[in-house]
Amino acid sequence: MQEYFITLLGGLVTTLELTLLSLLLGIALALLMTWVLELRIPVATQLVQLWVLIFTGTPLLIQIFLIYYGPGQFEWLKSGPLWPLLKQPWFCAVLALGFNTAAYSTRLFKGALDAIPSGEVEACRALGFSAGQTLWMKVRHAARRLVPAYSNEVILVLKGSSLASTITIMDVMGLAQRLNAQTYDTLAVFTVAGALYLTMNGLLTIGFRWCERRALAFQA
C-alpha cells in the first residue's frame, strides 16, 4: 500500500490543478450569471435559467462525455480554430467541471442575495444609495451566508474531478484505475485513493470552517 500511495501521489497535482481551474472558471461564470439574474436582463435571464436547468438537471459524467466526444461529430468544429483545444481531454474536463459548478454556484449566489431581508434594501433606497451601492451591500451580506454552502460545492467539485479519469486524464483516480488494471489489488488501491480524497476534503473543510469563523467575527 505504501507503493500505491507513492504512485497515486503523482496524480495529486493534476487533481488539484483540475479542481482549482474548474472552480475559477465556475465562479467567474456564476458571478456573471448571478448579475444577469439580479438585474433581470431580458433574454439573457432566460438563457441563464436554461443553462442552470441543463447543468443541474443532467449527470456530470454525461456532460464530460458530451463536451469531450461531442465536438468531434461536427466537421465545421474540427476544421475551426477551437479544435486544437476541444480535442484535449484536460481542456474539456475543465470546461465540463467549470460549467457544472457555475450552474450550482449561480443557484447558491442568487439564493443568498434573495435571502437578504427586503427591509435592508428599502433602507438603502431611503438613504439615497445608487443601484450599484445597494447591490454591493447585498453582496457583502450574502457573502457571510455563502461560506458554508460554497464550501460544500468546492468539495463536490474536488470529488467530481475524479470523473475526468474517464477521458484518459491521469489524476488520482486515473492512476488508481491503471494500478488496479496492473495489479488486480482492487481493495488496497482504491482504499489508498479514497484516503487521499478524504484527506484533501478534510483539509478543505478545516480551511472553510476557519473562513466561516472569520466571517462571523467580522460581522460581530
Side-chain angles (χ1 to χ4, degrees):
M1 292 183 70
Q2 182 178 0
E3 293 179 0
Y4 297 159
F5 177 76
I6 294 172
T7 300
L8 295 183
L9 276 181
L12 188 60
V13 173
T14 301
T15 293
L16 294 176
E17 287 179 348
L18 184 59
T19 301
L20 178 60
L21 290 176
S22 301
L23 287 170
L24 290 175
L25 174 61
I27 199 169
L29 291 174
L31 290 173
L32 176 62
M33 291 191 290
T34 304
W35 177 74
V36 169
L37 293 175
E38 189 68 15
L39 297 182
R40 300 178 182 177
I41 300 174
V43 182
T45 296
Q46 286 70 37
L47 291 175
V48 168
Q49 291 172 341
L50 179 62
W51 178 292
V52 172
L53 176 64
I54 291 174
F55 282 94
T56 59
T58 58
L60 176 57
L61 184 59
I62 290 178
Q63 295 164 22
I64 291 174
F65 284 167
L66 286 176
I67 292 175
Y68 181 58
Y69 295 110
Q73 308 297 312
F74 303 97
E75 290 298 328
W76 60 273
L77 274 177
K78 293 175 70 174
S79 59
L82 292 178
W83 180 243
L85 290 174
L86 291 174
K87 69 179 182 179
Q88 298 296 327
W90 174 267
F91 181 78
C92 293
V94 170
L95 279 187
L97 288 166
F99 289 171
N100 182 272
T101 189
Y104 283 101
S105 298
T106 299
R107 279 188 171 180
L108 290 176
F109 296 168
K110 188 64 170 66
L113 290 175
D114 290 343
I116 295 174
S118 59
E120 294 187 16
V121 178
E122 294 299 327
C124 289
R125 292 173 180 169
L127 292 171
F129 283 19
S130 66
Q133 289 173 320
T134 301
L135 180 60
W136 175 242
M137 181 280 298
K138 294 177 69 176
V139 169
R140 287 183 60 190
H141 284 245
R144 290 192 281 268
R145 297 182 176 93
L146 268 176
V147 175
Y150 191 69
S151 64
N152 293 332
E153 178 60 22
V154 172
I155 290 173
L156 287 174
V157 173
L158 175 60
K159 292 191 292 186
S161 69
S162 63
L163 295 175
S165 62
T166 60
I167 54 173
T168 72
I169 291 179
M170 288 294 104
D171 60 345
V172 171
M173 183 57 68
L175 290 176
Q177 291 176 337
R178 188 171 70 180
L179 266 179
N180 183 56
Q182 293 171 346
T183 64
Y184 297 100
D185 194 2
T186 304
L187 181 61
V189 169
F190 287 108
T191 295
V192 173
L196 279 174
Y197 280 105
L198 183 62
T199 301
M200 289 187 286
N201 289 332
L203 291 175
L204 282 174
T205 300
I206 293 171
F208 274 107
R209 292 296 175 269
W210 180 84
C211 292
E212 187 178 349
R213 289 194 297 270
R214 293 284 294 180
L216 290 174
F218 177 77
Q219 185 177 14

